[in-house]
Amino acid sequence: AQTVTQSQPEMSVQEAETVTLSCTYDTSESDYYLFWYKQPPSRQMILVIRQEAYKQQNATENRFSVNFQKAAKSFSLKISDSQLGDAAMYFCAYLLSGNTPLVFGKGTRLSVIA
Amino acid sequence: DVKVTQSSRYLVKRTGEKVFLECVQDMDHENMFWYRQDPGLGLRLIYFSYDVKMKEKGDIPEGYSVSREKKERFSLILESASTNQTSMYLCASSPLGGGYTEAFFGQGTRLTVV
């Protein structure tokens, strides 16, 4: 079974600085998708960024980017120019193609210090 | 906008009660999921469904059942609520094939069993 590991239960970053959240996963598949979801205090899960495993280019969405290392099974999230609104729980998730459910890591709570 | 609506944000029930958590999505998605979220444990899959009247067990189905009589509605049932089922419950939906299109989540139901 696929597993997702987030080794940092909590992280903090100064406003306007850069922070990287780590994620590793275990799979024997070659085609899959990876996601980072954000869960603010409102509890609404929001998609931050996604990566298709067959694409070597790292995904980027404004201040958010990933470092996808397929051989190492690593999928870290970099947040640049951190803002107070970035404070949230961040979940890394794995999805095998097809009708399979998302597999989540345990999450990283990010605090942003003004 | 895709909308996944959970019937209650907060719920307090007594031990032994039968509890229904309702989830409705308005995007004609084939896939629907129920997750349980606990601090330090992330999101764990309880049950999922690929189609009406279809259901599959997830990682922690014990003590739960589900019902999907209509495509847009997926109900989670606690047959006899226990205090260890006090948790946050998240419903999600995604289109057939999943993959690049992410799952969309409801705002969660925080259930307390006393």
Side-chain angles (χ1 to χ4, degrees), chain A residues 1-2 33 35 37 39 41-47 50-52 54-55 61 89 91 94-107 109, chain B residues 4 8-10 31 33 35 37-38 40-45 48 50 88 90 94-110:
Chain A
Q2 290 81 14
Y33 300 84
F35 301 84
Y37 277 88
Q39 188 184 43
S42 68
R43 302 181 343 208
Q44 182 66 57
M45 294 281 278
I46 303 164
L47 178 69
R50 80 190 97 204
Q51 176 80 42
E52 297 162 74
Y54 67 87
K55 287 187 176 180
E61 290 285 345
M89 282 291 290
F91 291 98
Y94 166 98
L95 178 70
L96 182 63
S97 300
N99 291 333
T100 58
L102 283 164
V103 177
F104 286 90
K106 293 182 178 181
R109 182 174 298 281
Chain B
V4 179
S8 305
R9 280 184 64 85
Y10 299 94
N31 304 327
F33 311 90
Y35 289 90
Q37 183 179 358
D38 298 290
L41 297 178
L43 277 72
R44 294 178 292 167
L45 183 68
F48 58 104
Y50 296 140
M88 170 83 81
L90 289 169
S94 68
L96 183 69
Y100 192 76
T101 304
E102 75 273 22
F104 295 86
F105 285 81
Q107 284 195 289
T109 296
R110 189 174 294 280

Side-chain angles (χ1 to χ4, degrees), chain B residues 54-112:
Chain B
M54 300 291 288
K55 61 183 180 183
E56 297 282 344
K57 291 181 179 180
D59 300 318
I60 52 166
E62 296 78 17
Y64 304 95
S65 62
V66 290
S67 173
R68 194 167 181 199
E69 296 296 321
K70 293 185 177 182
K71 190 176 184 180
E72 67 271 18
R73 186 181 296 271
F74 192 36
S75 303
L76 179 68
I77 305 159
L78 286 65
E79 296 291 344
S80 178
S82 63
T83 54
N84 62 13
Q85 293 179 309
T86 291
S87 186
M88 170 83 81
Y89 292 88
L90 289 169
C91 175
S93 72
S94 68
L96 183 69
Y100 192 76
T101 304
E102 75 273 22
F104 295 86
F105 285 81
Q107 284 195 289
T109 296
R110 189 174 294 280
L111 173 67
T112 302

Side-chain angles (χ1 to χ4, degrees), chain B residues 12-28:
Chain B
V12 179
K13 294 292 181 180
R14 295 196 178 276
T15 301
E17 273 193 81
K18 189 169 186 176
V19 181
F20 292 86
L21 303 184
E22 306 286 349
C23 176
V24 176
Q25 51 95 3
D26 66 359
M27 282 303 290
D28 201 35

Side-chain angles (χ1 to χ4, degrees), chain A:
Chain A
Q2 290 81 14
T3 59
V4 177
T5 301
Q6 294 179 249
S7 58
Q8 306 151 316
E10 296 183 351
M11 294 278 287
S12 62
V13 62
Q14 293 280 349
E15 202 175 1
E17 296 295 309
T18 295
V19 64
T20 299
L21 308 184
S22 301
C23 173
T24 58
Y25 58 94
D26 186 24
T27 184
S28 58
E29 306 291 337
S30 60
D31 190 19
Y32 48 87
Y33 300 84
L34 296 165
F35 301 84
W36 278 98
Y37 277 88
K38 169 185 177 182
Q39 188 184 43
S42 68
R43 302 181 343 208
Q44 182 66 57
M45 294 281 278
I46 303 164
L47 178 69
V48 174
I49 199 165
R50 80 190 97 204
Q51 176 80 42
E52 297 162 74
Y54 67 87
K55 287 187 176 180
Q56 293 191 356
Q57 185 173 4
N58 290 324
T60 298
E61 290 285 345
N62 301 314
R63 298 182 294 108
F64 299 87
S65 61
V66 298
N67 183 3
F68 174 49
Q69 302 289 330
K70 191 173 184 179
K73 298 179 184 176
S74 172
F75 183 60
S76 61
L77 174 69
K78 186 172 82 170
I79 306 173
S80 304
D81 185 25
S82 296
Q83 301 175 358
L84 294 177
D86 295 333
M89 282 291 290
Y90 286 82
F91 291 98
C92 178
Y94 166 98
L95 178 70
L96 182 63
S97 300
N99 291 333
T100 58
L102 283 164
V103 177
F104 286 90
K106 293 182 178 181
T108 297
R109 182 174 298 281
L110 178 67
S111 301
V112 180
I113 303 165

